[in-house]
Amino acid sequence: MTTTAPIPAPTAAPPRPSLVRRGSPLGLLVLVGLLLLAAALSLAIGSRSIPLGTVIDVLLHDDGSDASTIIRELRVPRTALAISVGAALGISGALMQGHTRNPLAEPGLLGVQAGASLAVVIGIYAFGVTNLSGYAWFSLAGAGLASAAVFAIGSTRGGPDPVSLVLAGTAVTALLGSFTQAIVLRSQETLDEYRFWVVGSAAGREIEVFWQVLPFLLIGLLMAAISAPGLNLLQLGDDVASSLGMHPLRHKVLGLVTVMLLSGAATAACGPIVFVGLVVPHVARYFAGVDYRWIVPYSGLVGGLFVVLADVLGRLIVRPGELQVGIVMALVGGPIFVYLVRRTRMVKL
Amino acid sequence: MSLDSPPRVERAATRVAGAPLRVGRASWLVPLRAGAVTLVSLAVLLALVAVDLSNGDFKIPVSDVVSTLLGGGDAGQRFIVIDLRLPQTMVAVLAGACLGLAGALTQTFARNPLASPDILGVTDGAALGAVAVIVIAGGSGYGGGLVAGQLQQVGLPIAAFVGGFGTALVLYVLSWRRGIDGQRLVLIGIGVGAAMAALTSWLLVRARIQDAASAQVWLNGSLSGRGWDQARPMLIALAILVPLSLMLVRTLNTLQLGDDSARGLGVGLQRSQLLTLLTAVALAAIAVSAVGPLDFVAFAVPQIALRLTGGSRPPLLASMVLGGVLVVGANLITRVVLPFAVPAGLVTAAIGAPYLIWLLLRSNRKVSA
């Protein structure tokens, strides 16, 4: 009998409910509700606050007022981008942590974002690319090359070794980062273009950027859904996984391509936003337990929620100016992460 | 999760770390390979220092440099070599040594190759302190020039030191939970470091453009214009802390066996961990306050030294010497080879990273073969 239903809990000694956390459809629903609430806040709050009633009116029909322009031209693209980028980064973090069996893996740490940054800088410096849609291709290529290099360096014949992988990621990040810095220091014009992209911000992006990265994100989401169930087997180790009928290497390649698509597209859209991929899967695991079929969707929703809230917070802290979402993410995410590490016994991967 | 296992166990098991030496009833291990590596690196370091001193706008042959250092040479050569070039080279040697030793100490006591001052956030804290001084007290900053000049010169290293040390204190308090666990230390360090880095970028965003530019130069790690003022604190720190670290070696070796075994063998676990961390943080904070965050030195050098000496933990002295080699090499490259000015911190990363990658590739292929 082939069924994918979870193994029933042994009836003799039912685990105490307070110790076993599991994901549930209800939890996902609550997260979607929170996400909608955060999106509404993001539409309403800004250097000029707009009442929620007006927001809904204007969303339904464009009445040509100032509020309509602000919301439709500025805040809708920004909110859509923040949600999709957060979801992409959260999911790619969860996939990376699952595939490498390493709680520290994240796109930033394993060199993906450094590769994307260097590729974008080369695009600006050598090929004169100046629009965000042009950045997307360079960013994807850079992210792909860098992650392939990190996995090639960090893998033994038996598959990626967690410690080597993180060391390789840090080494590649440092190397690519120094090239990026050197180019930026050399060329004033490149710095001028690059610095607006690199701060990690959802502001000032047009809705076209969202439509351009959306196909990549959708393909990435589909592939993430395909690869999530296998992650549970991979947690047992490559040998056990292959004895249970799985092909670990093929599965890891699938995961790597997914991570590349998701984080490459996210980085192209908003610049490198660090820390989402690291913190979000830990938060998701805290609520959803150890089953990756729940961790991956939870990570996506939590990631979107985090980035939207960070973006809103950035507009509130230094009114009427604003703080880039990348900075807020690290300022808020850092303490949350420390709290989680202290509070829970880290789920050993 | 094998993050907290000692790296390359399989190699340590097959290779004897040293030759036993017996004198009467006393016996100890002489680490032959580590000693050889240290001596060779020392020779490389001296050669690099000589080449560094001989090059510049006015070239002096290496043989003349050596005789000048030994007391010979004419007045012009003495002025150029000893008064102009030696201070900066010494700062490079000392900063590299401090960072290498600091990294070796933290990586050893946490039993984790990621536990280096850069990753634990100590460097980020020091950078935050320094940038705060530049932005808030800078000539064009909010201080309105009140505390410019001399005070900023003195205040910057002190602020960096306080920032680094404060971060380490926060880190230790937050990671404390019935003892210090290496993996928890690294995770919390990453969190604390990210928050510090974010505060730094916040300051940079709010700063005026002149202050942001000068802070950026400092943040990239620069050796130019450094002299005896920066070298002296590092020299004092090394003179005190190197003997202390060497006294910790016995404890560190025992710590490799795991916390429980170490406790069973009579090691005062908390005290020696705290002592090691304090030593390492003091070294890292002093080095960063002198030359700015030289990326990658404290992280990569002990790993490179470990893979060269083939022991079970990063060797302290070899890490020190190799740190000096890396930073002096970077200094030489920025001054002589590159046609344009590049901060030394970028070069340390650009030459340290490929070497670490090569070592990883080689050892991974060997394991799998």
Side-chain angles (χ1 to χ4, degrees):
Chain A
M1 192 176 91
T2 54
T3 170
T4 51
I7 306 153
T11 43
R16 277 185 293 160
S18 63
L19 285 181
V20 178
R21 288 203 178 78
R22 299 195 49 181
S24 64
L26 184 68
L28 285 182
L29 218 58
V30 170
L31 279 176
V32 171
L34 286 175
L35 194 56
L36 287 178
L37 204 66
L41 281 179
S42 168
L43 291 177
I45 293 174
S47 56
R48 183 180 151 186
S49 290
I50 299 168
L52 266 180
T54 321
V55 170
I56 295 166
D57 272 358
V58 172
L59 275 183
L60 292 179
H61 41 83
D62 188 358
D63 60 2
S65 64
D66 282 357
S68 159
T69 315
I70 290 175
I71 290 195
R72 285 173 164 258
E73 301 288 316
L74 296 176
R75 293 196 189 154
V76 168
R78 172 173 194 167
T79 309
L81 266 181
I83 292 176
S84 47
V85 163
L89 288 176
I91 289 178
S92 54
L95 290 181
M96 267 197 156
Q97 296 187 0
H99 277 293
T100 59
R101 290 198 285 142
N102 188 331
L104 295 182
E106 69 137 353
L109 201 60
L110 292 195
V112 180
Q113 291 184 335
S117 299
L118 179 60
V120 168
V121 166
I122 290 176
I124 300 172
Y125 180 67
F127 300 99
V129 181
T130 48
N131 57 334
L132 282 167
S133 58
Y135 294 170
W137 294 107
F138 280 96
S139 164
L140 272 175
L145 286 177
S147 47
V150 168
F151 271 77
I153 296 164
S155 296
T156 55
R157 199 164 294 168
D161 165 50
V163 176
S164 288
L165 204 60
V166 176
L167 283 174
T170 320
V172 169
T173 303
L175 183 62
L176 298 179
S178 68
F179 287 144
T180 308
Q181 284 288 326
I183 294 180
V184 169
L185 280 173
R186 283 293 289 153
S187 154
Q188 198 79 44
E189 305 90 71
T190 310
L191 173 64
D192 214 33
E193 293 287 333
Y194 170 73
R195 65 182 177 146
F196 288 109
W197 178 79
V198 81
V199 284
S201 169
R205 265 65 167 172
E206 288 160 10
I207 194 74
E208 278 76 42
V209 179
F210 175 70
W211 295 122
Q212 275 155 2
V213 294
L214 194 63
F216 297 110
L217 293 179
L218 288 179
I219 298 172
L221 281 181
L222 187 70
M223 288 169 65
I226 295 171
S227 85
L231 280 175
N232 286 334
L233 281 186
L234 271 183
Q235 299 316 300
L236 305 172
D238 288 358
D239 293 342
V240 180
S242 52
S243 76
L244 287 171
M246 184 192 200
H247 197 301
L249 186 67
R250 208 178 288 157
H251 203 82
K252 279 175 183 168
V253 170
L254 174 71
L256 182 66
V257 175
T258 315
V259 167
M260 190 197 101
L261 274 176
L262 286 174
S263 54
T267 310
C270 287
I273 300 178
V274 291
F275 227 58
V276 183
L278 182 64
V279 176
V280 163
H282 286 286
V283 178
R285 209 171 279 128
Y286 180 73
F287 291 112
V290 294
D291 187 345
Y292 271 90
R293 283 171 298 178
W294 288 114
I295 291 178
V296 169
Y298 267 64
S299 294
L301 291 172
V302 173
L305 190 63
F306 266 38
V307 174
V308 173
L309 286 181
D311 193 27
V312 173
L313 209 60
R315 283 177 248 169
L316 286 176
I317 299 178
V318 285
R319 292 183 85 166
E322 49 181 74
L323 205 53
Q324 282 75 17
V325 62
I327 297 175
V328 182
M329 201 52 228
L331 269 181
V332 179
I336 292 180
F337 184 64
V338 169
Y339 172 77
L340 278 176
V341 173
R342 274 189 63 76
R343 162 97 195 248
T344 58
R345 286 182 56 235
M346 294 303 290
V347 180
K348 297 273 177 184
L349 293 178
Chain B
M1 185 55 241
S2 60
L3 250 191
D4 48 0
S5 65
R8 300 279 153 259
V9 186
E10 60 279 1
R11 293 182 64 188
T14 54
R15 186 172 289 138
V16 182
L21 177 73
R22 290 197 176 82
V23 181
R25 295 178 58 190
S27 72
W28 61 93
L29 278 178
V30 181
L32 286 180
R33 182 162 164 192
V37 168
T38 313
L39 285 180
V40 171
S41 332
L42 203 59
V44 173
L45 178 62
L46 290 178
L48 277 176
V49 166
V51 175
D52 194 35
L53 289 178
S54 82
N55 272 296
D57 288 339
F58 183 81
K59 275 192 193 302
I60 298 173
V62 173
S63 55
D64 286 1
V65 168
V66 175
S67 69
T68 308
L69 284 179
L70 294 175
D74 57 48
Q77 286 175 339
R78 291 191 65 81
F79 175 70
I80 290 176
V81 170
I82 296 190
D83 292 341
L84 291 184
R85 291 184 191 160
L86 189 61
Q88 190 182 341
T89 310
M90 282 310 289
V91 168
V93 173
L94 292 171
C98 284
L99 289 172
L101 182 57
L105 284 172
T106 45
Q107 291 180 357
T108 306
F109 105 88
R111 288 194 298 276
N112 194 322
L114 287 173
S116 78
D118 352 15
I119 298 203
L120 291 180
V122 174
T123 315
D124 294 320
L128 176 62
V131 171
V133 166
I134 293 176
V135 170
I136 296 169
S140 49
Y142 299 116
L146 279 178
V147 281
Q150 192 67 30
L151 189 55
Q152 190 178 346
Q153 286 283 309
V154 181
L156 193 114
I158 296 178
F161 186 79
V162 169
F165 233 89
T167 311
L169 201 68
V170 170
L171 175 67
Y172 191 79
V173 170
L174 285 177
S175 329
W176 177 270
R177 206 181 153 194
R178 272 172 282 136
I180 294 288
D181 169 65
Q183 195 184 345
R184 192 167 59 230
L185 188 78
V186 172
L187 286 172
I188 290 187
I190 289 177
V192 172
M196 297 289 168
L199 281 174
T200 307
S201 11
W202 187 359
L203 281 178
L204 285 179
V205 168
R206 302 203 54 159
R208 304 197 183 177
I209 185 69
Q210 298 92 328
D211 292 334
S214 67
Q216 200 64 53
V217 169
W218 190 87
L219 279 175
N220 277 324
S222 172
L223 286 162
S224 57
R226 302 299 200 273
W228 289 117
D229 286 342
Q230 282 81 30
R232 213 169 290 121
M234 287 194 286
L235 206 56
I236 297 170
L238 280 175
I240 300 170
L241 295 175
V242 169
L244 186 66
S245 323
L246 292 179
M247 273 153 59
L248 285 168
V249 162
R250 275 181 74 89
T251 322
L252 290 177
N253 282 335
T254 321
L255 277 178
Q256 295 306 299
L257 304 173
D259 288 354
D260 293 338
S261 311
R263 229 182 256 124
L265 288 168
V267 172
L269 196 61
Q270 315 309 352
R271 202 192 45 200
S272 51
Q273 280 182 336
L274 185 62
L275 207 58
T276 316
L277 187 65
L278 281 181
T279 312
V281 168
L283 285 167
I286 284 182
V288 174
S289 66
V291 296
L294 285 178
D295 257 349
F296 218 64
V297 179
F299 169 71
V301 162
Q303 290 301 309
I304 292 172
L306 171 66
R307 279 161 176 77
L308 287 177
T309 58
S312 64
R313 64 170 175 79
L316 301 183
L317 287 178
S319 301
M320 257 176 79
V321 178
L322 282 170
V325 169
L326 180 57
V327 178
V328 173
N331 187 31
L332 188 63
I333 289 178
T334 49
R335 287 196 325 125
V336 178
V337 180
L338 292 178
F340 47 88
V342 160
L346 298 185
V347 180
T348 52
I351 56 182
Y355 192 55
L356 181 64
I357 289 173
W358 182 70
L359 287 174
L360 280 169
L361 274 177
R362 212 184 52 164
S363 64
N364 283 344
R365 293 300 167 269
K366 208 179 269 174
V367 168
S368 57

